[in-house]
Amino acid sequence: MLDVSNCAVEEIPKAVQAKFSGGYIVDSDGQKVDLSDPRVVYVLPEPRNSYGRRLVEDLYASHNKSVRISGETNASTLNYGKKICSGRECLPSLAIAGAVLRDIQEHREENEVTIYTTPIDQHGPCQNGAWPVLWETFAKRLNVKNCLFYQTPGYHNNYLGLDKDFIAQEKLNFVIGQYIIEARNALRCTAEDQYSALNDFEEITDKFIESVRLKEKTIKTGLLRWAKEVAKIPLKAKVEETAKILIFGGLNLMFDHYPIEEFYLEKGIITKVSDLAEAMTLLLSEKIIKFGLKKGLLTPKEQFDESLINFSELSQQEQKEATKAKRSKSVINFLDTQCKTYRRIMGKSGLLFDSYVEIDKLLEEGHQHASANSMTETPQIVGRFLYSLKEQIFDGLINLGTFNCQPAMNSQAIIRPLANKSEVPYAAIDCEGPWISSNQKRLLETIAVQAKRLRKKKNGFL
């Protein structure tokens, strides 16, 4: 059992770290390993939803590649993280470190060449901007051969041996999984017979995932069939007339939303966690914002508008930066189009109720109160709150953060006076992990009562 809890770096003999070189991996013994080698295993240490996880596992298998994907964050995962972390790290950092260490100790084979990926490749002021240095230190402390830590697909590493279409589909599969959960949550609160309905829903979803795995259906044709079958499940109430709550926040959402989501579902309130695509496009927007700011464009609306930049007048260095920004904008446009398409197809089930919002619109809303040029999650979180008020889809809003995440704390300070002027119930919750305290439950209970009351008012019963 690997124990690094009380070890200083200098006390452990240094092992040669595996690395990327010229489109290959050079292992700890100095041997070249092709990225198509069956010993290469990809590990996604951030928690992912069960439906998306199955779709992505099948995607890797269809390309003869091996992958392991973390499940929900729990106390055991965080305890693993404490073996190597200081305790001052944010929850995502602690949870990912714990998931990596857990994978090494419980799942990794001795002859593997393991690539531990990261959901973030950012260089902004948030704690995650220090993750490359953090993982360089962790690699020395763990002293494990043939592991590559903190890897993001890019030109410098031959995209980890994965082509761009593959990477895009991987991301979209996780988004689709989240949309399936949105539908399941709506069904759970509106079904005529909850037990029978959820059994039917799981059976229909299993058939969809299996049909894609066997290549009997494409994702889109499979979802069309899925939506048609799900729409047949009897409902006792209309989705649009049922109380709904949105859990929103930053990257921490995927690590700690579970108990709050379950709390409201048990009370018959349809609960949704902010779209994963919002976090993806926020990260992709970094190069766009930075280049726009360099050219004197101060707002997200201006920075995302390519017509405001005269590319013929750019210097050679600026043209390189502009190319990267345009490439990011192209990827964002692709994700926007695909997400809207999938939501439209799945919407035929009658269970999807939210709308897709482009990241530039969220940032533009939030920028009025916290500069998007800060390159943190604060303007996105504030923007999501303000946009939700405008759309009037949700009857309650929960801003979920962690106490040592500065962008989350900033968003709470900004939103509080704005929330006081709105009739939509709002609460800010700080979690140290996927659990809530008794006092937090009482606060959530208050929001539940207020959300149901507001929904009755919207329905014309008050």
Side-chain angles (χ1 to χ4, degrees):
M1 205 66 168
L2 183 62
D3 185 4
V4 296
S5 57
N6 296 309
C7 296
V9 174
E10 60 270 21
E11 295 173 346
I12 305 175
K14 291 183 180 180
V16 176
Q17 297 296 314
K19 61 182 180 180
F20 283 102
S21 178
Y24 291 87
I25 294 173
V26 178
D27 68 16
S28 297
D29 297 318
Q31 302 297 312
K32 279 188 175 182
V33 179
D34 192 271
L35 286 165
S36 62
D37 192 300
R39 291 178 298 158
V40 174
V41 178
Y42 300 82
V43 177
L44 283 58
E46 65 275 11
R48 297 297 193 177
N49 65 77
S50 59
Y51 303 115
R53 197 160 60 238
R54 290 163 61 190
L55 287 167
V56 171
E57 287 170 348
D58 291 342
L59 176 67
Y60 274 79
S62 69
H63 287 73
N64 297 315
K65 295 184 181 296
S66 300
V67 67
R68 291 193 296 271
I69 307 172
S70 290
E72 293 184 352
T73 300
N74 54 34
S76 177
T77 304
L78 297 181
N79 283 334
Y80 267 102
K82 291 174 184 177
K83 293 177 180 291
I84 195 168
C85 290
S86 67
R88 294 185 292 273
E89 295 83 1
C90 61
L91 177 61
S93 184
L94 177 64
I96 289 176
V100 169
L101 191 55
R102 184 174 193 165
D103 184 81
I104 290 173
Q105 295 193 1
E106 297 184 6
H107 303 292
R108 186 173 184 268
E109 300 291 337
E110 188 175 352
N111 65 339
E112 273 186 20
V113 178
T114 316
I115 301 174
Y116 290 96
T117 65
T118 176
I120 288 184
D121 183 15
Q122 196 218 16
H123 304 285
C126 182
Q127 287 189 44
N128 60 54
W131 284 8
V133 176
L134 189 74
W135 279 102
E136 183 179 344
T137 302
F138 284 177
K140 294 176 181 178
R141 294 182 63 190
L142 293 173
N143 201 30
V144 182
K145 293 178 62 176
N146 296 331
C147 281
L148 296 101
F149 300 101
Y150 194 82
Q151 298 298 322
T152 300
Y155 179 79
H156 66 288
N157 55 24
N158 195 27
Y159 295 93
L160 302 180
L162 311 169
D163 64 48
K164 295 179 182 178
D165 290 341
F166 181 101
I167 295 169
Q169 192 59 57
E170 175 193 310
K171 306 302 182 188
L172 287 169
N173 281 356
F174 286 127
V175 173
I176 290 168
Q178 193 178 37
Y179 293 166
I180 292 175
I181 291 176
E182 180 182 337
R184 185 191 67 191
N185 287 355
L187 180 64
R188 178 172 169 179
C189 298
T190 59
E192 190 174 279
D193 182 330
Q194 185 183 106
Y195 180 80
S196 174
L198 291 178
N199 280 342
D200 290 344
F201 182 87
E202 293 300 331
E203 184 177 336
I204 294 167
T205 303
D206 287 345
K207 288 181 179 179
F208 156 64
I209 294 174
E210 185 69 4
S211 70
V212 174
R213 185 183 71 82
L214 296 175
K215 298 184 179 179
E216 297 172 349
K217 301 278 188 181
T218 65
I219 291 283
K220 290 179 180 177
T221 58
L223 284 175
L224 281 168
R225 180 68 179 176
W226 173 89
K228 182 178 179 180
E229 293 300 315
V230 169
K232 295 177 182 178
I233 301 176
L235 305 180
K236 66 180 180 182
K238 294 181 179 179
V239 171
E240 59 269 23
E241 294 180 356
T242 304
K244 291 176 281 292
I245 279 179
L246 175 70
I247 304 172
F248 69 103
L251 178 67
N252 68 281
L253 280 177
M254 66 171 69
F255 301 89
D256 59 3
H257 71 270
Y258 330 119
I260 297 177
E261 181 180 32
E262 184 60 29
F263 179 89
Y264 284 122
L265 288 173
E266 288 180 353
K267 296 185 178 299
I269 299 176
I270 301 174
T271 312
K272 176 177 175 176
V273 179
S274 285
D275 281 358
L276 180 63
E278 292 178 12
M280 293 178 180
T281 51
L282 174 66
L283 296 173
L284 286 166
S285 69
E286 180 180 5
K287 290 182 174 63
I288 300 170
I289 293 173
K290 285 184 175 179
F291 180 73
L293 181 62
K294 182 177 181 178
K295 300 308 294 178
L297 305 177
L298 302 181
T299 70
K301 183 177 180 180
E302 294 173 331
Q303 292 159 352
F304 277 74
D305 187 351
E306 295 181 14
S307 68
L308 297 180
I309 297 177
N310 187 344
F311 292 94
S312 64
E313 296 180 354
L314 300 179
S315 66
Q316 187 174 2
Q317 178 59 35
E318 287 178 333
Q319 286 178 3
K320 291 181 180 178
E321 296 172 10
T323 298
K324 292 179 180 178
K326 291 177 70 173
R327 189 181 300 129
S328 294
K329 182 65 163 32
S330 177
V331 175
I332 290 175
N333 289 342
F334 172 77
L335 286 174
D336 288 346
T337 300
Q338 292 298 303
C339 288
K340 290 177 182 177
T341 298
Y342 288 132
R343 288 198 68 85
R344 184 172 64 252
I345 292 172
M346 298 175 73
K348 297 181 185 297
S349 67
L351 295 174
L352 293 195
F353 52 87
D354 198 10
S355 63
Y356 182 84
V357 188
E358 294 88 348
I359 190 62
D360 56 321
K361 292 181 180 178
L362 292 180
L363 291 175
E364 187 67 24
E365 289 284 348
H367 182 75
Q368 301 172 44
H369 302 274
S371 174
N373 299 318
S374 64
M375 286 313 307
T376 71
E377 296 167 305
T378 301
Q380 181 262 328
I381 297 172
V382 175
R384 166 39 77 188
F385 171 81
L386 293 170
Y387 209 91
S388 298
L389 293 183
K390 283 186 176 182
E391 291 194 310
Q392 298 184 346
I393 293 172
F394 295 98
D395 309 298
L397 300 169
I398 303 296
N399 183 3
L400 179 59
T402 53
F403 74 96
N404 59 351
C405 175
Q406 190 61 50
M409 297 302 99
N410 290 343
S411 76
Q412 291 184 13
I414 294 169
I415 291 174
R416 174 51 60 192
L418 301 175
N420 289 340
K421 299 176 183 178
S422 170
E423 68 171 351
V424 179
Y426 164 84
I429 299 290
D430 299 339
C431 288
E432 297 180 18
W435 48 77
I436 49 179
S437 68
S438 297
N439 285 337
Q440 288 171 333
K441 285 184 179 180
R442 283 193 283 270
L443 177 57
L444 295 176
E445 179 69 51
T446 301
I447 299 298
V449 173
Q450 293 174 338
K452 287 182 177 181
R453 184 184 299 144
L454 178 59
R455 175 43 57 184
K456 286 183 179 180
K457 181 179 178 182
K458 289 179 179 178
N459 293 343
F461 294 119
L462 288 178

